[in-house]
Amino acid sequence: ENSWYLDPASRQAMGLRVDTNQVSSNDPIEDYLAWSPLGSEDIAAAAAGKTSGVPRYMFSVFDGHAGYMCAEQLSQRLAPMLNDSLDIVAQLADKKKPNVVATGKELVSTVKQLESESGIEWDQIPLALTATFVRMDHELVHGSLAEFRRLQDMATMDKLLGPAVSGSCGLVAVVDTEANQVVVGNTGDSRALLGVRLKDGRWKAVRLSEDQTAKNQNELTRMSREHPGESSVISKGRVLGGLMPTRAFGDCRYKWPLEAQQDLFPILYSRGHRYATTPPNYVTPPYVTAKPVIVKHQLNENDKFIVIASDGLYDQLSDDEVVDTVAQWYEANNEGKRGTNPESTLMTEDKNAATHLIRTALSTDRLGRRSDSVIRRLLAIPPPHSRRFRDDVSVTVVTLNRD
């Protein structure tokens, strides 16, 4: 459980309050939360000190599957790459030659390729997010394979190829506090919601992302277009009958060439990587992409908070229930501002918005009834048996303060 404030970068900028929390079901937990200021000279130092004073911040959740290794890598490596991508995009927009020594020619090439393939003029943040997701996945899946083959050292196999065998959904929200804008890049089935307070005092949940699964008609159409004539591309509601999200990082069993799988999977499987197996009807890989779907939203005074969470939360609560729960916390805790509101008679058990949301989710039974006994029973079930009843739950709530 963590809470902190990020002061405005200027008089025109918003301030932010950030609340995070996680509850594990897997052991170890396969979800990772990460945040970072963007555009600062030293991201690591700024993040470690919870530094304010920069206009852009990144907030993200990486929901791992088939192990934790892919999500762990993303939590450590994606923010610095996104910062590099933003620099490259800005330099190209100014007709300057990017500093490839600092950023790497591969990332520059990815940005230029996306611009060329799309045939449209990108906005800077969506382009940087897309390039980062695509390049990061290439490094995890194909770059690691090339490096292992170069080294031919079995001692490096687990470290290099473990993140490729495992997989992860990834959702990244870039909040620009001066431009009053949020841009969300999503790969998989984590979800971002905007809490909007209407003029009559009621609350509305607005999705800033769409789940990318076989339940999404756009994803079904894309998969059929990319793999014509393959009736089993979606089987039992999953990619080739196995993977629920249609977009993900890692998951090399849906991306590597068949010969690479035949060469390495028996060894990886013998070393404990139990998902190092080739799916049935594996004909035209890759079947899974990490290229994100981008949503850009111009924030206004009615937009009060953003919820970023893994699907473990949405297994328990609907969008409206999530926003109503955070709204209850918001109204009882001085709208997320410093200090307290002496006129308020509302109270919540938790001072952390993410904790309040997770407690509500895990206290609600399948009929929508809330009880402390429900959460006590759920949390008492040890892993791996707990996965039959609940998933890892990871939540970040970003409160938007304009005064």
Side-chain angles (χ1 to χ4, degrees):
E1 180 185 79
N2 285 292
S3 298
W4 65 95
Y5 292 91
L6 297 166
D7 292 327
S10 65
R11 289 186 177 181
Q12 295 76 33
M14 295 182 292
L16 305 176
R17 170 173 167 153
V18 186
D19 295 270
T20 67
N21 205 347
Q22 296 179 277
V23 173
S24 65
S25 181
N26 293 290
D27 184 17
I29 189 171
E30 295 179 354
D31 284 2
Y32 284 80
L33 295 173
W35 82 281
S36 175
L38 296 171
S40 59
E41 293 183 0
D42 188 342
I43 292 180
K50 305 279 194 295
T51 302
S52 303
V54 298
R56 289 177 180 171
Y57 295 92
M58 180 205 90
F59 304 96
S60 58
V61 58
F62 303 107
D63 181 359
H65 48 258
Y68 69 91
M69 297 181 75
C70 184
E72 180 184 54
Q73 287 291 301
L74 291 167
S75 71
Q76 296 169 358
R77 296 168 57 185
L78 192 135
M81 183 179 286
L82 176 57
N83 209 53
D84 288 343
S85 294
L86 288 166
D87 287 343
I88 291 168
V89 170
Q91 290 171 46
L92 289 172
D94 287 342
K95 310 301 181 184
K96 296 179 182 178
K97 185 177 180 180
N99 183 358
V100 297
V101 175
T103 59
K105 63 181 181 180
E106 296 87 358
L107 189 53
V108 175
S109 176
T110 300
V111 171
K112 291 182 175 180
Q113 183 178 356
L114 287 168
E115 285 187 306
S116 175
E117 289 176 351
S118 67
I120 62 173
E121 185 175 347
W122 289 69
D123 289 340
Q124 290 190 18
I125 297 178
L127 177 56
L129 272 171
T130 303
T132 300
F133 276 48
V134 170
R135 186 65 214 169
M136 178 59 66
D137 189 56
H138 187 276
E139 289 189 5
L140 289 170
V141 174
H142 300 292
S144 61
L145 176 61
E147 180 67 3
F148 176 74
R149 284 178 163 167
R150 185 186 70 82
L151 294 173
Q152 291 295 310
D153 182 0
M154 294 299 294
T156 67
M157 185 178 228
D158 297 326
K159 181 179 180 180
L160 281 174
L161 301 184
V165 175
S166 62
S168 180
C169 300
L171 187 146
V172 175
V174 175
V175 179
D176 190 323
T177 62
E178 289 187 332
N180 283 309
Q181 184 182 88
V182 57
V183 182
V184 175
N186 186 40
T187 287
D189 57 7
S190 295
R191 195 180 302 168
L193 297 176
L194 184 67
V196 181
R197 185 160 61 183
L198 305 176
K199 291 182 179 180
D200 62 5
R202 293 180 298 117
W203 288 86
K204 179 182 179 181
V206 175
R207 281 199 185 186
L208 296 175
S209 65
E210 288 297 330
D211 300 353
Q212 293 148 16
T213 67
K215 295 179 181 179
N216 183 329
Q217 185 58 50
N218 290 332
E219 288 298 283
L220 281 178
T221 301
R222 177 183 66 81
M223 295 290 285
S224 298
R225 182 178 66 249
E226 293 177 356
H227 305 278
E230 296 183 49
S231 59
S232 60
V233 66
I234 299 293
S235 176
K236 301 176 183 177
R238 296 170 179 261
V239 179
L240 298 181
L243 186 65
M244 181 68 77
T246 52
R247 302 186 189 223
F249 292 92
D251 288 313
C252 67
R253 66 195 297 253
Y254 299 97
K255 298 174 183 178
W256 276 359
L258 184 58
E259 55 269 28
Q261 297 193 22
Q262 292 172 335
D263 181 31
L264 293 171
F265 275 4
I267 305 170
L268 284 161
Y269 191 88
S270 71
R271 296 170 71 93
H273 299 276
R274 61 191 181 96
Y275 289 94
T277 57
T278 302
N281 304 306
Y282 194 75
V283 182
T284 57
Y287 286 91
V288 175
T289 179
K291 188 175 182 180
V293 174
I294 303 293
V295 172
K296 184 171 68 171
H297 178 81
Q298 193 67 36
L299 297 165
N300 62 57
E301 62 181 11
N302 297 320
D303 301 333
K304 301 302 183 182
F305 54 79
I306 300 167
V307 179
I308 298 161
S310 58
D311 67 333
L313 177 72
Y314 300 102
D315 290 342
Q316 307 290 331
L317 298 176
S318 68
D319 292 1
D320 288 339
E321 288 171 331
V322 167
V323 166
D324 287 346
T325 299
V326 178
Q328 179 191 44
W329 173 91
Y330 180 89
E331 292 174 344
N333 288 275
N334 199 28
E335 300 184 343
K337 301 170 187 175
R338 286 186 172 91
T340 58
N341 180 0
E343 298 180 0
S344 176
T345 59
L346 301 173
M347 293 182 63
T348 56
E349 181 175 354
D350 302 295
K351 297 304 181 183
N352 179 297
T355 303
H356 179 63
L357 185 51
I358 293 173
R359 185 188 302 278
T360 300
L362 297 184
S363 299
T364 304
D365 66 16
R366 296 184 184 277
L367 297 178
R369 299 171 301 195
R370 283 201 60 199
S371 170
D372 290 342
S373 64
V374 176
I375 191 171
R376 285 197 297 267
R377 287 198 304 267
L378 282 176
L379 294 181
I381 303 170
H385 310 293
S386 56
R387 281 294 283 114
R388 295 175 55 195
F389 303 94
R390 61 183 177 87
D391 198 355
D392 296 332
V393 182
S394 298
V395 176
T396 296
V397 178
V398 181
T399 307
L400 312 172
N401 296 322
R402 292 181 174 82
D403 38 47

